[in-house]
Structures are given as C-alpha cells and as structure tokens.
Amino acid sequence: MTEIQNVSRLINKIHRIGGTAGEQIIKAGVSRGTKIVQSEAKLLVPTNSGRTRNSIRTKVDGLKGSVYTNEPSAVFVEFGTGSVGASNHGGISPNVRPSYRNTPWWFHESMVEGGYLSAYNFFTIDTPVGKFYKTEGQVAQPFMYPALKNNRAKVLAEMEKYLSRKLKEITKWLMLNR
C-alpha cells in the first residue's frame, strides 16, 4: 500500500503545479505503466497466428490506463469455454465470474484458421457445406490478468521513478526561473 501512496503523493504534487504540463507528465507516467503490462501480455498470450498478440493495445485517459484487446476470440482464450473451461479456469481474475455452456456444440471449419484443427482430434462430420467439429470447450489460458498481477509492483515503481524524476526537473526549473 505504501507504493500506491507514494505514487498518489507524486501525482498530487504534479497536479498542484497545474497546467497541461502537469497533466502530460502524469499521462506519460501512466502510459509507461501500461506498456509494462502490455509487453507481458504479449509474451503470455498463447497464439498460433499472432493475431491476438498483435491486437493487444494500451490507452491512457487521465489517471486511468488500460491494456485491452478487441480481438473477438481473446475472451475465449483468457477465460476458457464450455464444460472444459468451467472445470479448468485457474489463473483468471478472481473478480470475474464467467458463465460456461455445459453442453457440447458444433462449429464449421470456416470459423477457425486452417491448419490448427488437426492437432486437437475433434470428432468431425463432413457435410455438403463443409466439415463440422464437435467440442466441449477449451481450458482457460489467461494472459491479460496475469500480466497485470505479475507486474503490479513494477508498474508502481516505474511510475514512482518517472514522476519523481519529472517533479525534480520541474522544481529545478521553477527555482532557476524565479
């Protein structure tokens, strides 16, 4: 908790200096923290194509930094799916309570990038409109939550270091330009 208080104090001091310069410094500090989490999420994401890895982005809005992906399949990777995911979703955020389907389902070959399905030994049916695969889901393979959890202290330390350095620079500049 001391780490958060130190960062909060630095942010308050920079806010008191005021102006857009103070806001930009705070945004830059928050951005540095989000980049740490983004980097780890990109390392942790299990991927065949790189599409999910390449979709992991950061956004800073004032004091709030976000690491996110808009890749539709990423949520299924993070939390798992079906009865398989319900029975094996360790490592996901304790603040999230996914609802899992408990019955098997079928999906068409066009719904998945080619070449990856043969490794999973799905039960299949060939039809006039293509091949269908039966599944009961997949285990969770969290990458976003662990990236945040694993780097909490590092993010706060980086922000504290950056904001402290900038506060010293501002103070020095103010003293020289009285």
Side-chain angles (χ1 to χ4, degrees), residues 56-73:
I56 299 171
R57 305 268 188 260
T58 63
K59 179 179 161 185
V60 177
D61 185 19
L63 296 177
K64 180 182 173 186
S66 301
V67 180
Y68 67 96
T69 174
N70 58 4
E71 175 60 40
S73 63

PDB file of all heavy atoms in Angstrom, residues 56-73:
ATOM      1  N   ILE A  56      -3.193  -6.520 -28.883  1.00  0.00           N
ATOM      2  CA  ILE A  56      -3.109  -6.012 -27.507  1.00  0.00           C
ATOM      3  C   ILE A  56      -2.613  -4.576 -27.547  1.00  0.00           C
ATOM      4  O   ILE A  56      -1.515  -4.296 -28.033  1.00  0.00           O
ATOM      5  CB  ILE A  56      -2.205  -6.909 -26.637  1.00  0.00           C
ATOM      6  CG1 ILE A  56      -2.788  -8.327 -26.583  1.00  0.00           C
ATOM      7  CG2 ILE A  56      -2.065  -6.324 -25.232  1.00  0.00           C
ATOM      8  CD1 ILE A  56      -1.878  -9.354 -25.932  1.00  0.00           C
ATOM      9  N   ARG A  57      -3.418  -3.669 -27.054  1.00  0.00           N
ATOM     10  CA  ARG A  57      -3.166  -2.227 -27.126  1.00  0.00           C
ATOM     11  C   ARG A  57      -3.220  -1.590 -25.739  1.00  0.00           C
ATOM     12  O   ARG A  57      -3.696  -2.192 -24.792  1.00  0.00           O
ATOM     13  CB  ARG A  57      -4.230  -1.557 -27.993  1.00  0.00           C
ATOM     14  CG  ARG A  57      -4.369  -2.125 -29.382  1.00  0.00           C
ATOM     15  CD  ARG A  57      -3.479  -1.366 -30.338  1.00  0.00           C
ATOM     16  NE  ARG A  57      -3.721  -1.752 -31.716  1.00  0.00           N
ATOM     17  CZ  ARG A  57      -2.957  -2.600 -32.379  1.00  0.00           C
ATOM     18  NH1 ARG A  57      -1.935  -3.171 -31.788  1.00  0.00           N
ATOM     19  NH2 ARG A  57      -3.213  -2.886 -33.635  1.00  0.00           N
ATOM     20  N   THR A  58      -2.779  -0.337 -25.691  1.00  0.00           N
ATOM     21  CA  THR A  58      -2.884   0.449 -24.458  1.00  0.00           C
ATOM     22  C   THR A  58      -3.648   1.736 -24.760  1.00  0.00           C
ATOM     23  O   THR A  58      -3.691   2.202 -25.897  1.00  0.00           O
ATOM     24  CB  THR A  58      -1.500   0.820 -23.890  1.00  0.00           C
ATOM     25  OG1 THR A  58      -0.808   1.656 -24.821  1.00  0.00           O
ATOM     26  CG2 THR A  58      -0.681  -0.416 -23.585  1.00  0.00           C
ATOM     27  N   LYS A  59      -4.217   2.276 -23.699  1.00  0.00           N
ATOM     28  CA  LYS A  59      -4.948   3.542 -23.803  1.00  0.00           C
ATOM     29  C   LYS A  59      -4.803   4.251 -22.464  1.00  0.00           C
ATOM     30  O   LYS A  59      -4.905   3.617 -21.414  1.00  0.00           O
ATOM     31  CB  LYS A  59      -6.416   3.255 -24.102  1.00  0.00           C
ATOM     32  CG  LYS A  59      -7.294   4.476 -24.207  1.00  0.00           C
ATOM     33  CD  LYS A  59      -8.714   4.051 -24.540  1.00  0.00           C
ATOM     34  CE  LYS A  59      -9.694   5.128 -24.209  1.00  0.00           C
ATOM     35  NZ  LYS A  59     -11.069   4.689 -24.412  1.00  0.00           N
ATOM     36  N   VAL A  60      -4.572   5.545 -22.499  1.00  0.00           N
ATOM     37  CA  VAL A  60      -4.469   6.336 -21.276  1.00  0.00           C
ATOM     38  C   VAL A  60      -5.486   7.455 -21.345  1.00  0.00           C
ATOM     39  O   VAL A  60      -5.553   8.189 -22.328  1.00  0.00           O
ATOM     40  CB  VAL A  60      -3.046   6.904 -21.086  1.00  0.00           C
ATOM     41  CG1 VAL A  60      -2.983   7.792 -19.854  1.00  0.00           C
ATOM     42  CG2 VAL A  60      -2.030   5.780 -21.002  1.00  0.00           C
ATOM     43  N   ASP A  61      -6.288   7.558 -20.296  1.00  0.00           N
ATOM     44  CA  ASP A  61      -7.280   8.614 -20.188  1.00  0.00           C
ATOM     45  C   ASP A  61      -7.125   9.231 -18.806  1.00  0.00           C
ATOM     46  O   ASP A  61      -7.624   8.689 -17.821  1.00  0.00           O
ATOM     47  CB  ASP A  61      -8.682   8.034 -20.392  1.00  0.00           C
ATOM     48  CG  ASP A  61      -9.763   9.097 -20.403  1.00  0.00           C
ATOM     49  OD1 ASP A  61      -9.428  10.277 -20.609  1.00  0.00           O
ATOM     50  OD2 ASP A  61     -10.939   8.745 -20.202  1.00  0.00           O
ATOM     51  N   GLY A  62      -6.380  10.324 -18.738  1.00  0.00           N
ATOM     52  CA  GLY A  62      -6.114  10.963 -17.451  1.00  0.00           C
ATOM     53  C   GLY A  62      -5.274  10.061 -16.566  1.00  0.00           C
ATOM     54  O   GLY A  62      -4.179   9.662 -16.931  1.00  0.00           O
ATOM     55  N   LEU A  63      -5.804   9.721 -15.403  1.00  0.00           N
ATOM     56  CA  LEU A  63      -5.092   8.854 -14.463  1.00  0.00           C
ATOM     57  C   LEU A  63      -5.366   7.378 -14.704  1.00  0.00           C
ATOM     58  O   LEU A  63      -4.832   6.532 -14.009  1.00  0.00           O
ATOM     59  CB  LEU A  63      -5.494   9.186 -13.025  1.00  0.00           C
ATOM     60  CG  LEU A  63      -5.131  10.573 -12.525  1.00  0.00           C
ATOM     61  CD1 LEU A  63      -5.656  10.780 -11.116  1.00  0.00           C
ATOM     62  CD2 LEU A  63      -3.636  10.776 -12.571  1.00  0.00           C
ATOM     63  N   LYS A  64      -6.198   7.079 -15.692  1.00  0.00           N
ATOM     64  CA  LYS A  64      -6.598   5.693 -15.943  1.00  0.00           C
ATOM     65  C   LYS A  64      -5.871   5.152 -17.163  1.00  0.00           C
ATOM     66  O   LYS A  64      -5.961   5.710 -18.254  1.00  0.00           O
ATOM     67  CB  LYS A  64      -8.100   5.628 -16.162  1.00  0.00           C
ATOM     68  CG  LYS A  64      -8.618   4.244 -16.429  1.00  0.00           C
ATOM     69  CD  LYS A  64     -10.118   4.297 -16.672  1.00  0.00           C
ATOM     70  CE  LYS A  64     -10.636   2.946 -17.103  1.00  0.00           C
ATOM     71  NZ  LYS A  64     -12.044   3.014 -17.475  1.00  0.00           N
ATOM     72  N   GLY A  65      -5.164   4.042 -16.960  1.00  0.00           N
ATOM     73  CA  GLY A  65      -4.502   3.360 -18.065  1.00  0.00           C
ATOM     74  C   GLY A  65      -5.169   2.028 -18.294  1.00  0.00           C
ATOM     75  O   GLY A  65      -5.543   1.337 -17.350  1.00  0.00           O
ATOM     76  N   SER A  66      -5.335   1.667 -19.545  1.00  0.00           N
ATOM     77  CA  SER A  66      -5.973   0.391 -19.899  1.00  0.00           C
ATOM     78  C   SER A  66      -5.085  -0.389 -20.853  1.00  0.00           C
ATOM     79  O   SER A  66      -4.458   0.187 -21.737  1.00  0.00           O
ATOM     80  CB  SER A  66      -7.311   0.630 -20.603  1.00  0.00           C
ATOM     81  OG  SER A  66      -8.186   1.367 -19.788  1.00  0.00           O
ATOM     82  N   VAL A  67      -5.065  -1.696 -20.649  1.00  0.00           N
ATOM     83  CA  VAL A  67      -4.469  -2.621 -21.601  1.00  0.00           C
ATOM     84  C   VAL A  67      -5.621  -3.496 -22.054  1.00  0.00           C
ATOM     85  O   VAL A  67      -6.342  -4.049 -21.234  1.00  0.00           O
ATOM     86  CB  VAL A  67      -3.344  -3.463 -20.955  1.00  0.00           C
ATOM     87  CG1 VAL A  67      -2.747  -4.429 -21.970  1.00  0.00           C
ATOM     88  CG2 VAL A  67      -2.264  -2.560 -20.362  1.00  0.00           C
ATOM     89  N   TYR A  68      -5.817  -3.605 -23.351  1.00  0.00           N
ATOM     90  CA  TYR A  68      -7.003  -4.286 -23.851  1.00  0.00           C
ATOM     91  C   TYR A  68      -6.723  -4.945 -25.192  1.00  0.00           C
ATOM     92  O   TYR A  68      -5.697  -4.688 -25.827  1.00  0.00           O
ATOM     93  CB  TYR A  68      -8.155  -3.286 -24.011  1.00  0.00           C
ATOM     94  CG  TYR A  68      -7.889  -2.261 -25.091  1.00  0.00           C
ATOM     95  CD1 TYR A  68      -8.385  -2.455 -26.381  1.00  0.00           C
ATOM     96  CD2 TYR A  68      -7.132  -1.124 -24.838  1.00  0.00           C
ATOM     97  CE1 TYR A  68      -8.131  -1.538 -27.381  1.00  0.00           C
ATOM     98  CE2 TYR A  68      -6.865  -0.204 -25.834  1.00  0.00           C
ATOM     99  CZ  TYR A  68      -7.365  -0.415 -27.105  1.00  0.00           C
ATOM    100  OH  TYR A  68      -7.098   0.487 -28.113  1.00  0.00           O
ATOM    101  N   THR A  69      -7.636  -5.786 -25.608  1.00  0.00           N
ATOM    102  CA  THR A  69      -7.643  -6.337 -26.955  1.00  0.00           C
ATOM    103  C   THR A  69      -9.069  -6.314 -27.462  1.00  0.00           C
ATOM    104  O   THR A  69     -10.007  -6.536 -26.701  1.00  0.00           O
ATOM    105  CB  THR A  69      -7.076  -7.774 -27.010  1.00  0.00           C
ATOM    106  OG1 THR A  69      -7.263  -8.279 -28.329  1.00  0.00           O
ATOM    107  CG2 THR A  69      -7.738  -8.695 -26.022  1.00  0.00           C
ATOM    108  N   ASN A  70      -9.209  -6.013 -28.731  1.00  0.00           N
ATOM    109  CA  ASN A  70     -10.542  -6.062 -29.341  1.00  0.00           C
ATOM    110  C   ASN A  70     -10.672  -7.283 -30.244  1.00  0.00           C
ATOM    111  O   ASN A  70     -11.610  -7.382 -31.023  1.00  0.00           O
ATOM    112  CB  ASN A  70     -10.848  -4.768 -30.100  1.00  0.00           C
ATOM    113  CG  ASN A  70      -9.820  -4.481 -31.177  1.00  0.00           C
ATOM    114  OD1 ASN A  70      -8.911  -5.280 -31.419  1.00  0.00           O
ATOM    115  ND2 ASN A  70      -9.934  -3.335 -31.814  1.00  0.00           N
ATOM    116  N   GLU A  71      -9.746  -8.223 -30.129  1.00  0.00           N
ATOM    117  CA  GLU A  71      -9.805  -9.472 -30.887  1.00  0.00           C
ATOM    118  C   GLU A  71     -10.930 -10.325 -30.299  1.00  0.00           C
ATOM    119  O   GLU A  71     -10.892 -10.683 -29.121  1.00  0.00           O
ATOM    120  CB  GLU A  71      -8.471 -10.204 -30.795  1.00  0.00           C
ATOM    121  CG  GLU A  71      -8.439 -11.563 -31.423  1.00  0.00           C
ATOM    122  CD  GLU A  71      -8.758 -11.545 -32.909  1.00  0.00           C
ATOM    123  OE1 GLU A  71      -8.300 -10.631 -33.616  1.00  0.00           O
ATOM    124  OE2 GLU A  71      -9.477 -12.445 -33.344  1.00  0.00           O
ATOM    125  N   PRO A  72     -11.955 -10.657 -31.079  1.00  0.00           N
ATOM    126  CA  PRO A  72     -13.119 -11.375 -30.540  1.00  0.00           C
ATOM    127  C   PRO A  72     -12.791 -12.698 -29.834  1.00  0.00           C
ATOM    128  O   PRO A  72     -13.426 -13.044 -28.847  1.00  0.00           O
ATOM    129  CB  PRO A  72     -14.000 -11.616 -31.768  1.00  0.00           C
ATOM    130  CG  PRO A  72     -13.602 -10.553 -32.735  1.00  0.00           C
ATOM    131  CD  PRO A  72     -12.134 -10.316 -32.502  1.00  0.00           C
ATOM    132  N   SER A  73     -11.805 -13.427 -30.307  1.00  0.00           N
ATOM    133  CA  SER A  73     -11.514 -14.730 -29.704  1.00  0.00           C
ATOM    134  C   SER A  73     -10.701 -14.624 -28.413  1.00  0.00           C
ATOM    135  O   SER A  73     -10.591 -15.602 -27.669  1.00  0.00           O
ATOM    136  CB  SER A  73     -10.762 -15.612 -30.699  1.00  0.00           C
ATOM    137  OG  SER A  73      -9.507 -15.030 -31.022  1.00  0.00           O
TER     138      SER A  73
END
